[in-house]
Each structure stands twice: as C-alpha cells, then as structure tokens.
C-alpha cells in the first residue's frame, strides 16, 4: 500500500504563493518512492477533480492549463515527497488539492480515475 499525506494548504491573498507537500509511505516490499508516478489534482465542491501537474519517475512533467507558468511540481526521492510550488495565486485556484500516486503510468494520467492512490487533500483558499 501507499499512504499519501498532503500539507501546506492555507488561506492566502491574491498574488500570493504557497508550497504544498505530499509525503508518501510505502509498505510494499521491493517498492520505493522513486518508482512512483506522482500528481497533483484539485477539486472544487461539486466539480470534477482536475489535473494540476504530473511528474514521472524520470522527472518528466506535464501541467494542466491552469497551472502553466505559475505552478511548479518537483519531487525529492530522498524525502519520499512531491511538492507543488504555487505562485501568482488567483481566486479560481481555491480548491481542495489532492496528491495522487501510481506505480504504473496511468493510461491517461490527466484523468483522476486512472490513479491508484490518493491522499486526503489539503485546502487552498485565495481571497481578494
């Protein structure tokens, strides 16, 4: 199993910055964090969970349209942690942010249904 714990969510003003963290604990013998595909999604109540950013084992990254130019995903395999650095935050970035993981590359890694493991989420509120 893989347990994911997000942190770093907060209430910030428009234009502010936040860094979210997702720490992974792996209880599967022979598996390590470096083998995980990782992603950040976000969800507004009543809406679909949208991909923010994905990073694969080699560090290849894909960003959702809302994140391009403002957010940065990074992983630290030594710390079993993936980060989402968010800058120039807007009110429309307000959402619950979730970390996702999978040992296999999801068939469509931009779709939340294709990911195996999820954290509980961390809330981000951006106010003007």
């Amino acid at each position: 199993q893989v347990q994911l714990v997000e942190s770093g969510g907060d209430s910030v003003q428009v234009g502010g910055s936040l860094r979210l963290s997702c720490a992974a604990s792996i209880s599967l013998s022979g598996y390590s964090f470096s083998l995980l595909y990782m992603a950040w999604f976000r969800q507004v109540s009543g809406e679909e969970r949208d991909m923010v950013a994905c990073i694969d084992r080699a560090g290849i990254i894909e960003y959702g349209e809302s994140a391009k130019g403002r957010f940065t995903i990074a992983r630290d395999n030594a710390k079993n942690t993936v980060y989402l650095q968010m800058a120039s935050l807007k009110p429309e970035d307000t959402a619950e942010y979730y970390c996702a993981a999978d040992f296999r590359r999801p068939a469509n890694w931009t779709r939340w249904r294709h990911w195996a493991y999820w954290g509980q989420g961390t809330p981000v509120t951006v106010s003007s």
Side-chain angles (χ1 to χ4, degrees):
Q1 287 288 346
V2 177
Q3 290 189 319
L4 304 173
V5 178
E6 302 97 332
S7 62
D10 205 346
S11 296
V12 297
Q13 297 272 326
V14 167
S17 300
L18 278 177
R19 188 177 80 158
L20 306 183
S21 300
C22 172
S25 298
I26 301 168
S27 58
L28 297 168
S29 179
Y31 288 81
S32 65
F33 180 81
S34 63
L35 297 177
L36 284 168
Y37 295 82
M38 302 296 299
W40 285 97
F41 284 74
R42 69 186 187 186
Q43 186 173 27
V44 175
S45 180
E47 298 183 8
E48 277 274 305
R49 200 168 287 193
D50 290 330
M51 187 273 282
V52 177
C54 302
I55 185 168
D56 76 359
R57 301 168 176 178
I60 294 172
I61 292 168
E62 181 174 350
Y63 290 104
E65 285 301 316
S66 62
K68 290 178 180 177
R70 297 187 300 128
F71 295 179
T72 302
I73 188 172
R75 63 190 299 157
D76 185 337
N77 290 338
K79 295 182 177 180
N80 288 8
T81 300
V82 65
Y83 303 98
L84 184 69
Q85 181 68 49
M86 304 188 293
S88 303
L89 285 162
K90 307 173 183 179
E92 50 264 44
D93 294 319
T94 296
E96 192 80 10
Y97 283 71
Y98 295 91
C99 179
D102 207 316
F103 285 110
R104 296 178 294 179
R105 192 188 196 283
N108 182 344
W109 72 349
T110 68
R111 302 295 300 274
W112 69 271
R113 296 177 188 274
H114 292 254
W115 289 83
Y117 303 104
W118 289 91
Q120 294 301 305
T122 187
V124 172
T125 302
V126 184
S127 57
S128 55

